[in-house]
Amino acid sequence: MDDVDKIIAQWNRERPDLDVGPMALLGRLGRLRERLLREVEKVFSAYGLNSAGFDVLATLRRSGPPYSLSPGELMGQMMITSGTMTNRVDQLIKAGLVSRTQNPDDRRGMIISLTPTGFDLIEKAVAAHVANQHRLVASLSREEQDALNQLLKTYLARLDNADQ
């Protein structure tokens, strides 16, 4: 019996009229999310990053050469607001990891690019991040990982469809 089971047992005792079964699933998902975030942030921190900075650098890196995107393209790929994007980019510029230059194709627009220092850092950080992800799922067999991944993919798709 884990802590979530204890909470469910208490609710079942105090409010037997309520079906609190979903509370167990969502509680465990929440606890898992928090635990995984802590473990991921440890790796990012070792590289002087947080998840927000890593996200920008990784998005630029996976975009391929020349590792540059417009702020709008970055926002679209990262699904964040312009204010959030500006703050993240400003912090990374101060750290020398990205640069902001005028878009040669649109004099009104800007381009955000990885600097050589930013490229080197994200190369190391993403390798450590992937190794950490492998460590975090290692207690599950490959079949369990695939099954859980498919269940979560289905669940997310159904939630997304219900919102539309």
Side-chain angles (χ1 to χ4, degrees), residues 7-126:
I7 291 167
I8 297 304
Q10 289 170 334
W11 278 119
N12 284 333
R13 182 188 70 236
E14 296 299 316
R15 289 293 308 269
D17 58 308
L18 294 177
D19 175 8
V20 294
M23 189 183 291
L25 175 61
L26 296 176
R28 284 190 177 93
L29 286 172
R31 286 172 180 231
L32 179 61
R33 179 183 184 277
E34 291 303 315
R35 173 72 189 274
L36 293 174
L37 285 176
R38 282 193 309 270
E39 295 296 320
V40 166
E41 286 292 338
K42 286 179 191 175
V43 171
F44 295 160
S45 179
Y47 291 89
L49 296 170
N50 58 26
S51 59
F54 178 89
D55 197 16
V56 173
L57 297 178
T59 301
L60 289 168
R61 174 60 181 93
R62 71 175 183 264
S63 73
Y67 313 111
S68 301
L69 295 169
S70 72
E73 291 169 324
L74 265 173
M75 285 186 322
Q77 290 188 30
M78 296 172 57
M79 298 179 288
I80 59 174
T81 66
S82 62
T84 300
M85 174 57 62
T86 299
N87 184 36
R88 289 182 184 184
V89 168
D90 287 348
Q91 296 302 315
L92 293 169
I93 288 171
K94 286 179 189 173
L97 301 175
V98 301
S99 64
R100 182 187 292 125
T101 57
Q102 192 169 24
N103 186 338
D105 300 326
D106 177 5
R107 293 171 32 126
R108 296 172 292 149
M110 302 301 281
I111 294 290
I112 310 302
S113 304
L114 281 175
T115 64
T117 302
F119 183 89
D120 291 344
L121 181 66
I122 194 60
E123 286 293 285
K124 294 172 189 163
V126 76

